Coordinates of all heavy atoms in Angstrom, one line a residue:
Chain A
Y388 N 4.9 8.7 5.5 CA 6.0 9.7 5.4 C 7.1 9.3 6.2 O 7.0 9.1 7.5 CB 5.4 11.1 5.8 CG 6.5 12.2 5.7 CD1 7.3 12.3 4.7 CD2 6.6 13.1 6.8 CE1 8.2 13.4 4.6 CE2 7.5 14.2 6.7 CZ 8.3 14.3 5.6 OH 9.2 15.3 5.5
G412 N 8.0 19.9 20.5 CA 8.2 20.5 19.2 C 7.0 20.2 18.3 O 6.1 19.4 18.7
V413 N 6.9 20.8 17.2 CA 5.8 20.6 16.2 C 6.4 20.0 14.9 O 7.5 20.5 14.5 CB 5.1 21.9 15.9 CG1 4.0 21.7 14.8 CG2 4.5 22.4 17.2
F414 N 5.7 19.1 14.3 CA 6.2 18.5 13.1 C 5.0 18.5 12.1 O 3.9 17.9 12.4 CB 6.7 17.1 13.3 CG 7.4 16.5 12.1 CD1 8.7 16.8 11.9 CD2 6.7 15.7 11.2 CE1 9.3 16.3 10.8 CE2 7.3 15.1 10.1 CZ 8.6 15.5 9.9
R415 N 5.1 19.1 10.9 CA 4.1 19.2 10.0 C 4.3 18.2 8.8 O 5.5 18.1 8.4 CB 3.9 20.6 9.4 CG 3.4 21.5 10.5 CD 2.9 22.8 9.9 NE 2.4 23.8 10.9 CZ 1.2 23.6 11.5 NH1 0.4 22.7 11.2 NH2 0.9 24.5 12.5
F416 N 3.3 17.5 8.3 CA 3.5 16.6 7.2 C 3.4 17.4 5.9 O 2.6 18.3 5.8 CB 2.4 15.5 7.3 CG 2.4 14.8 8.7 CD1 1.1 14.7 9.3 CD2 3.5 14.4 9.3 CE1 1.1 14.1 10.6 CE2 3.5 13.8 10.5 CZ 2.2 13.6 11.2
P417 N 4.1 16.9 4.9 CA 4.1 17.6 3.6 C 2.8 17.6 2.8 O 2.5 18.4 2.0 CB 5.2 16.9 2.8 CG 5.4 15.6 3.4 CD 5.0 15.7 4.9
V418 N 2.0 16.5 3.1 CA 0.6 16.5 2.6 C -0.3 16.0 3.7 O 0.2 15.4 4.6 CB 0.5 15.5 1.3 CG1 1.5 15.9 0.2 CG2 0.7 14.1 1.8
Q419 N -1.6 16.3 3.5 CA -2.5 15.7 4.5 C -2.6 14.2 4.4 O -2.8 13.7 3.3 CB -3.9 16.3 4.3 CG -4.9 15.8 5.4 CD -6.3 16.5 5.1 OE1 -7.0 16.1 4.1 NE2 -6.7 17.4 5.9
M420 N -2.4 13.6 5.5 CA -2.4 12.1 5.4 C -3.8 11.5 5.5 O -4.7 12.2 5.9 CB -1.5 11.5 6.6 CG -0.1 12.1 6.5 SD 1.1 11.2 7.6 CE 1.4 9.7 6.7
A422 N -5.2 9.4 7.4 CA -5.8 9.4 8.8 C -4.6 9.9 9.7 O -3.5 10.1 9.3 CB -6.2 8.0 9.1
S423 N -5.0 10.1 11.0 CA -3.9 10.4 11.9 C -2.9 9.2 11.9 O -3.3 8.1 12.1 CB -4.4 10.5 13.3 OG -5.4 11.5 13.4
P424 N -1.6 9.5 11.6 CA -0.7 8.3 11.4 C -0.1 7.8 12.7 O 0.0 8.5 13.7 CB 0.4 9.0 10.6 CG 0.5 10.4 11.1 CD -1.0 10.7 11.4
G449 N 5.8 10.7 18.7 CA 4.8 11.5 18.2 C 3.7 11.7 19.3 O 3.4 10.8 20.0
D450 N 3.1 12.9 19.3 CA 2.2 13.2 20.4 C 0.9 13.8 19.8 O 1.1 14.8 18.9 CB 2.9 14.3 21.4 CG 1.9 14.9 22.4 OD1 1.1 14.1 23.0 OD2 1.9 16.1 22.5
R451 N -0.2 13.4 20.2 CA -1.5 13.9 19.7 C -1.5 14.1 18.1 O -1.8 15.2 17.6 CB -1.9 15.2 20.4 CG -2.3 15.0 21.8 CD -2.5 16.2 22.5 NE -1.3 16.9 22.9 CZ -1.2 18.1 23.4 NH1 -2.3 18.7 23.8 NH2 -0.1 18.7 23.7
T452 N -1.2 13.0 17.5 CA -1.0 13.0 16.0 C -2.4 13.3 15.3 O -3.4 12.8 15.8 CB -0.4 11.7 15.5 OG1 0.7 11.5 16.3 CG2 -0.2 11.7 14.1
N453 N -2.3 14.1 14.3 CA -3.5 14.3 13.4 C -3.1 14.2 12.0 O -1.9 14.1 11.7 CB -4.2 15.6 13.8 CG -3.4 16.8 13.4 OD1 -3.3 17.1 12.2 ND2 -2.7 17.5 14.4
P454 N -4.0 14.2 11.0 CA -3.6 14.0 9.6 C -2.6 15.0 9.1 O -1.9 14.8 8.0 CB -4.9 14.0 8.9 CG -5.9 13.5 9.9 CD -5.5 14.2 11.2
N455 N -2.5 16.2 9.7 CA -1.7 17.3 9.2 C -0.4 17.5 9.9 O 0.5 18.0 9.4 CB -2.5 18.6 9.2 CG -3.6 18.6 8.2 OD1 -3.4 18.4 7.0 ND2 -4.8 18.7 8.7
S456 N -0.4 17.1 11.2 CA 0.8 17.4 12.0 C 0.8 16.6 13.3 O -0.2 15.9 13.6 CB 0.8 18.9 12.4 OG -0.3 19.2 13.2
C457 N 1.9 16.7 14.0 CA 1.9 16.1 15.4 C 2.9 16.8 16.2 O 3.7 17.6 15.7 CB 2.2 14.6 15.3 SG 3.9 14.3 14.9
G458 N 2.8 16.6 17.5 CA 3.9 17.1 18.4 C 5.0 16.0 18.4 O 4.8 14.9 18.1
I459 N 6.2 16.5 18.7 CA 7.4 15.6 18.9 C 7.8 15.9 20.3 O 8.1 17.0 20.7 CB 8.5 15.9 17.9 CG1 8.1 15.6 16.4 CG2 9.8 15.2 18.3 CD1 7.9 14.2 16.1
F485 N 5.8 8.0 9.8 CA 4.4 8.3 10.1 C 3.6 7.5 9.1 O 3.7 7.7 7.9 CB 4.2 9.8 10.0 CG 5.0 10.6 10.9 CD1 6.2 11.1 10.5 CD2 4.6 10.8 12.2 CE1 7.0 11.9 11.4 CE2 5.3 11.6 13.1 CZ 6.6 12.1 12.7
Chain B
P269 N -2.3 6.9 17.4 CA -3.2 7.9 17.8 C -4.6 7.4 18.1 O -4.9 6.2 17.8 CB -3.3 8.8 16.5 CG -3.1 7.9 15.4 CD -2.1 6.8 15.9

Side-chain angles (χ1 to χ4, degrees):
Chain A
Y388 178 44
V413 175
F414 191 81
R415 294 196 180 279
F416 308 130
V418 304
Q419 184 179 72
M420 301 193 75
S423 305
D450 169 49
R451 287 176 289 178
T452 305
N453 68 74
N455 292 299
S456 65
C457 74
I459 294 289
F485 300 91

